Amino acid sequence: MRHHWLLLRICHWALLILVFVGTLSFFRLVDGKKKSLLPVVVTAARWERWFAHCDVMCVCLFPTDYGDRGVQSWTGPRPKPVKASDPKAHVFQPTLPPLDPEWHSVNEKRIELLTSMCRNSSINNLTHVSISKFVLDRIFVCDKHKILFCQTPKVGNTQWKKVLIVLNGKFPTVDDVPEKLVHDHSGNGLHRLSSLTPQEISHRLNTYFKFLIVRDPFERLISAFKDKFEQNPRDEPWYNEDIAPMIIGTYRKSYWDGVLTPSELHFEEFVHYLVDVGVRRRILDQLFTNRIIHWMTYTELCAPCEIQYSAVGHHETLEKDAPYILHAAGVEGLVSYPGFPPDITRYNRTKVEQYFSGISKQDIRRLFARYQSDFHLFGYPRPDFLLN
Ligand SMILES: *[C@@H]1O[C@H](CO)[C@@H](O)[C@H](O)[C@H]1NC(C)=O
Ligand SMILES: *[C@@H]1O[C@H](CO)[C@@H](O)[C@H](O)[C@H]1NC(C)=O
Ligand SMILES: *[C@@H]1O[C@H](CO)[C@@H](O)[C@H](O)[C@H]1NC(C)=O
């Protein structure tokens, strides 16, 4: 059975690569000049679906819940998403409130919950991941002050990276760090833990101050969807030009009624991709490379049950967590987290309800199943208002 499956997967991949390469050269031949990769990826996604169907028919091995749903494709360029101005940009306040003396015990309770949930055998298979290179890639190192920070995208990480860049001594204050440099890891002096030797890594994991920031898992998914597919304020064309068409190609319901025109990725299709436990999502994830970090679980990103974090910040209470973390890490006074009006980080139930209003209960339950480790480990309540 295992062999059979492996063989099938290898065939599957080989065929997909053949089709991909074949289509690529076909487009080159036809045009004689390089074109957008979009038609190729859409075609590849379509063929991948076809093979998935074939696998199911032949061997009945892959359950495909969205199996009867078709493919839509187009060849024209997608319209550029409208660039929304960042509302946070011009409302920053100069500083955050001072350290709340109560916050030490708040953090202690969070760490206790994390530790006890990691021991809970009923969710064991969801909470434990190995400290792989993927995880070590997510962790940034500040040797000067013995701090490790695990990056969880869509949770205000850019500001924390700036804080670490300042602590590393490259710039005097957070405001001096150029926006472009924050994500340029060759130029900003902020190293990933994966760049060190195994001995250096375990020494740092055992002795440094380690922290991560989390927020409500569903609200984070909405934020990822908005930021990458609806607004795309950082001008990252691959989300709407490569990733969205492949998700649409694989999960869009209407096969024949749609005309071949470009359209936006719907939140519903994004959810279908996220809840797919079959081979198709694994293939897409491979093709999307590490851009999937925007919707991977905190568990997959930071291995919180394997790495003993010293502090867990919550986005919803960041105005209290930021001063606490700087204090606990021993760098209070050396750098300050940029101020912001607290209500922009608060949980917004109306927004969550709006986004999920078009999603079926079954899909919401599946989505909760996939992200439940994040809810349990970090004390976020089960969203009963969506599930019941
Ligand atoms: C373990 O997790 C399950 C599922 O979330 C929960 O119902 C149960 O109460 C937990 N057990 C303990 C001892 O925390
Ligand atoms: C984890 O284990 C539970 C039963 O204990 C099972 O229902 C669930 O499907 C498992 N999840 C994964 C991702 O293996
Ligand atoms: C919550 O979200 C809704 C819908 O997106 C929005 O209209 C409202 O202003 C938000 N509330 C706050 C306090 O940000």
Side-chain angles (χ1 to χ4, degrees):
M1 185 78 174
R2 247 192 106 78
H3 267 95
H4 201 160
W5 204 85
L6 201 69
L7 207 70
L8 197 71
R9 273 194 74 174
I10 293 168
C11 288
H12 199 120
W13 270 104
L15 281 166
L16 188 63
I17 290 163
L18 272 176
V19 169
F20 195 84
V21 172
T23 320
L24 196 65
S25 39
F26 172 75
F27 272 96
R28 290 248 166 91
L29 257 175
V30 166
D31 267 27
K33 60 178 189 242
K34 204 166 171 281
K35 273 191 76 173
S36 155
L37 226 65
L38 174 68
V40 183
V41 292
V42 172
T43 314
R46 179 209 301 241
W47 278 99
E48 193 280 317
R49 273 182 59 75
W50 192 82
F51 291 131
H53 279 287
C54 179
D55 294 343
V56 174
M57 284 188 291
C58 304
V59 212
C60 292
L61 273 178
F62 303 123
T64 53
D65 293 326
Y66 304 101
D68 56 345
R69 294 171 178 183
V71 184
Q72 197 178 37
S73 93
W74 58 81
T75 47
R78 284 174 67 84
K80 274 246 173 276
V82 182
K83 236 176 125 172
S85 61
D86 185 354
K88 295 169 214 168
H90 37 263
V91 287
F92 273 153
Q93 291 163 354
T95 48
L96 288 180
L99 176 67
D100 180 341
E102 301 284 299
W103 224 248
H104 178 68
S105 68
V106 170
N107 183 63
E108 253 177 6
K109 287 203 187 80
R110 287 177 189 166
I111 299 290
E112 269 167 33
L113 174 74
L114 179 60
T115 313
S116 77
M117 280 299 171
C118 288
R119 289 203 207 100
N120 185 332
S121 55
S122 66
I123 50 170
N124 226 313
N125 54 358
L126 292 166
T127 54
H128 290 270
V129 299
S130 60
I131 306 178
S132 58
K133 175 167 184 305
F134 179 81
V135 170
L136 298 173
D137 273 343
R138 309 275 77 76
I139 300 178
F140 291 97
V141 183
C142 172
D143 274 328
K144 202 168 166 190
H145 297 281
K146 297 190 177 356
I147 298 171
L148 298 179
F149 166 58
C150 185
Q151 185 187 14
T152 49
K154 302 276 95 47
V155 194
N157 285 258
T158 304
Q159 304 295 354
W160 283 108
K161 276 161 99 177
K162 285 186 186 172
V163 165
L164 293 187
I165 292 169
V166 169
L167 287 173
N168 272 337
K170 268 234 165 183
F171 294 92
T173 73
V174 167
D175 293 330
D176 298 317
V177 183
E179 210 61 41
K180 274 204 154 57
L181 208 64
V182 182
H183 302 287
D184 169 15
H185 299 294
S186 52
N188 63 15
L190 195 55
H191 299 293
R192 293 175 196 270
L193 198 51
S194 56
S195 66
L196 304 175
T197 67
Q199 287 81 6
E200 291 170 333
I201 292 170
S202 60
H203 169 70
R204 282 162 182 73
L205 283 175
N206 289 329
T207 59
Y208 281 18
F209 178 86
K210 301 170 286 291
F211 76 103
L212 77 161
I213 315 287
V214 297
R215 73 189 289 188
D216 178 88
F218 278 3
E219 207 181 33
R220 171 172 170 253
L221 287 179
I222 292 171
S223 172
F225 181 77
K226 275 176 70 169
D227 193 40
K228 297 303 173 200
F229 301 110
E230 287 189 343
Q231 301 175 341
N232 203 347
R234 270 203 219 121
D235 252 339
E236 300 161 305
W238 44 85
Y239 288 102
N240 275 316
E241 288 172 17
D242 298 334
I243 292 182
M246 291 186 72
I247 296 177
I248 293 169
T250 313
Y251 299 102
R252 181 151 291 181
K253 284 184 208 163
S254 49
Y255 186 69
W256 298 115
D257 63 337
V259 275
L260 305 181
T261 49
S263 79
E264 307 285 314
L265 175 70
H266 304 315
F267 187 62
E268 190 190 11
E269 291 152 356
F270 183 57
V271 169
H272 284 167
Y273 153 69
L274 294 175
V275 301
D276 187 353
V277 291
V279 73
R280 289 180 294 159
R281 199 194 87 222
R282 268 175 278 148
I283 289 175
L284 290 179
D285 281 353
Q286 294 278 339
L287 294 170
F288 297 166
T289 65
N290 70 3
R291 293 190 178 124
I292 57 174
I293 60 173
H294 298 279
W295 46 85
M296 300 270 290
T297 64
Y298 305 129
T299 316
E300 292 161 322
L301 294 169
C302 296
C305 287
E306 277 63 42
I307 296 172
Q308 288 178 345
Y309 285 95
S310 327
V312 177
H314 281 211
H315 189 63
E316 293 83 355
T317 52
L318 195 61
E319 78 280 7
K320 303 252 189 187
D321 284 299
Y324 170 73
I325 287 170
L326 295 178
H327 169 80
V331 293
E332 198 177 20
L334 298 178
V335 63
S336 52
Y337 191 92
F340 58 88
D343 55 314
I344 67 164
T345 62
R346 292 279 183 270
Y347 180 72
N348 185 338
R349 181 170 155 165
T350 314
K351 184 175 69 187
V352 175
E353 280 172 334
Q354 261 176 19
Y355 270 84
F356 280 94
S357 62
I359 312 295
S360 73
K361 292 276 179 225
Q362 192 192 29
D363 284 335
I364 299 176
R365 284 194 202 105
R366 285 193 182 125
L367 198 65
F368 179 73
R370 167 142 191 230
Y371 287 87
Q372 63 174 321
S373 63
D374 285 356
F375 281 93
H376 294 316
L377 293 177
F378 301 107
Y380 286 100
R382 187 178 185 275
D384 287 326
F385 63 99
L386 297 173
L387 289 156
N388 297 334

